[in-house]
Amino acid sequence: TQLLEQSPQFLSIQEGENLTVYCNSSSVFSSLQWYRQEPGEGPVLLVTVVTGGEVKKLKRLTFQFGDARKDSSLHITAAQPGDTGLYLCAILYNQGGKLIFGQGTELSVKP
Amino acid sequence: DAGVIQSPRHEVTEMGQEVTLRCKPISGHNSLFWYRQTMMRGLELLIYFNNNVPIDDSGMPEDRFSAKMPNASFSTLKIQPSEPRDSAVYFCASRLQGIEAFFGQGTRLTVV
């Protein structure tokens, strides 16, 4: 059983469309991170959310942490081919020492 | 800083052979993680170290896998003997406590 469930697993859209991907758990977390991974590279941190209900924006990307700190979403406005990649959510588990990832959402944005 | 450095980038080996993957973390980071990534299972944590000490190795698949961190600037992940099902991309990451994890470019292992 995955500690973090991400959906959808795969998403293929056209340039200019909006999309939302989700990261859910039955557990409460003190913080949650979103990473993006491009082919042939390791994941790179996009954002960390800490407070329930928190919203953070990174250009066209909007991240939200659920009020109960059990879930998070990533919304991309007007997607571009450069947004293509694997989006991973992650939590610090076991008193902040252990970094655990969800399965990821594979996003493909076609021109 | 050059970031987290992993070697080799690619490794092809025959079943039964010993494989050693290497990682140089970012200087000053006190946590080091080894992950394995496959299409089926995603990014799985194998083991992590704090201040060179293994803290949690519950993700290590079986006794064929072992990891060491003899000093703050070097870690190895060894598979002996290797099997085809070990084929995956292995990532090393390092972190300063409470801050983001930085990943290496990974080692793509193929066991034939």
Side-chain angles (χ1 to χ4, degrees), chain A residues 2 13 26-27 29 43 49-50 62 64 79 87 96 111:
Chain A
Q2 288 280 328
I13 61 172
S26 56
S27 302
F29 302 115
V49 286
V50 178
T62 301
Q64 184 160 10
Y87 289 82

Side-chain angles (χ1 to χ4, degrees), chain A residues 14-34:
Chain A
Q14 293 296 127
E15 183 175 2
E17 291 183 18
N18 301 333
L19 67 115
T20 302
V21 298
Y22 301 92
C23 176
N24 296 296
S25 176
S26 56
S27 302
V28 177
F29 302 115
S30 57
S31 66
L32 185 143
Q33 297 180 325
W34 283 93

Side-chain angles (χ1 to χ4, degrees), chain B residues 31-88:
Chain B
S31 294
L32 183 140
F33 304 83
W34 281 102
Y35 291 89
R36 176 173 68 176
Q37 188 172 39
T38 61
M39 285 291 293
M40 289 298 295
R41 301 173 70 90
L43 197 59
E44 300 175 277
L45 178 63
L46 301 177
I47 184 171
Y48 79 97
F49 297 82
N50 272 355
N51 298 315
N52 314 338
V53 176
I55 302 301
D56 187 332
D57 65 354
S58 59
M60 295 286 259
E62 48 198 273
D63 291 345
R64 297 184 298 107
F65 286 67
S66 62
K68 293 183 179 179
M69 192 165 185
N71 56 63
S73 58
F74 184 66
S75 178
T76 59
L77 178 67
K78 187 175 292 188
I79 308 172
Q80 165 63 16
S82 57
E83 296 182 4
R85 61 192 167 119
D86 301 331
S87 297

